[in-house]
Amino acid sequence: MTWQLAPEAFGTVVATRLRRDYYDEVASRYWKRPATSEEIDQGLANDGVELLTPPTGQFVVGRFGGEAVACGGLLMLDPERAELTRIYLRPAFRGKKGASLLLELLESEARLLGASRTVLNTRLDLVEARSLYVRHGYHEIPAYCTGLYVEICYGKDLGRSD
């Protein structure tokens, strides 16, 4: 089985299902209980996903063996910086190199939109994600934004090969 990753409209049935799964996992981990369908709906409402389309961003979906199991987005913060967001792989497909491929594609898409740097924010409890970012050359940076769930920020110069 192989990975296929490509830009896809955020509103497709597949992309929406992946975005719901993403919110379900991050909210459930944060609250230490299963998120309700209503809470997931609230998380998706007015979340700015409409900006994840050129020229302001991009949304991508990853398929493994034809099954949609991963997604991620990027948002242009300014002409030089793109923020990575909504990075998600279904748990059963982690450890199969999909996250690395997803990051590579998002970085490539960021370059196509003119970015020379990517940034992201996450929570401290999302240790798997933090480990992934560090393995791919992301370094802790000062906070570039604020928010309830912004606990640590990372950045990467897209000109670097690490």
Side-chain angles (χ1 to χ4, degrees):
M1 294 226 215
T2 61
W3 283 97
Q4 292 129 1
L5 294 96
E8 186 165 323
F10 63 83
T12 66
V13 171
V14 167
T16 300
R17 189 172 303 124
L18 286 164
R19 289 176 41 240
R20 289 188 69 79
D21 290 351
Y22 162 80
Y23 278 104
D24 184 18
E25 180 169 340
V26 297
S28 296
R29 287 177 68 166
Y30 183 77
W31 293 322
K32 296 178 178 46
R33 62 162 175 80
T36 67
S37 185
E38 293 79 20
E39 289 167 333
I40 295 167
D41 290 342
Q42 287 175 348
L44 290 170
N46 303 314
D47 70 347
V49 71
E50 69 279 356
L51 296 173
L52 303 184
T53 185
T56 55
Q58 187 62 275
F59 191 79
V60 301
V61 169
R63 289 174 169 78
F64 188 75
E67 182 181 353
V69 299
C71 68
L74 66 92
L75 174 65
M76 294 300 295
L77 298 177
D78 57 46
E80 291 84 33
R81 290 181 310 155
E83 179 183 52
L84 300 184
T85 184
R86 297 168 183 83
I87 307 293
Y88 177 73
L89 274 81
R90 290 197 172 126
F93 295 89
R94 294 174 187 168
K96 299 179 184 295
K97 309 288 187 219
S100 296
L101 294 171
L102 185 60
L103 282 180
E104 289 172 16
L105 178 58
L106 288 168
E107 290 170 2
S108 176
E109 292 293 325
R111 284 185 195 94
L112 289 173
L113 292 173
S116 58
R117 182 162 182 78
T118 50
V119 295
L120 63 94
N121 66 77
T122 191
R123 298 190 329 241
L124 294 173
D125 66 314
L126 299 176
V127 294
E128 305 92 338
R130 292 175 47 220
S131 176
L132 170 73
Y133 303 136
V134 169
R135 281 194 319 271
H136 286 275
Y138 285 80
H139 303 280
E140 188 174 346
I141 60 171
Y144 64 91
C145 64
T146 60
L148 179 60
Y149 307 111
V150 177
E151 295 179 340
I152 189 167
C153 296
Y154 292 95
K156 180 179 179 180
D157 178 349
L158 293 178
R160 292 174 56 170
S161 60
D162 63 348

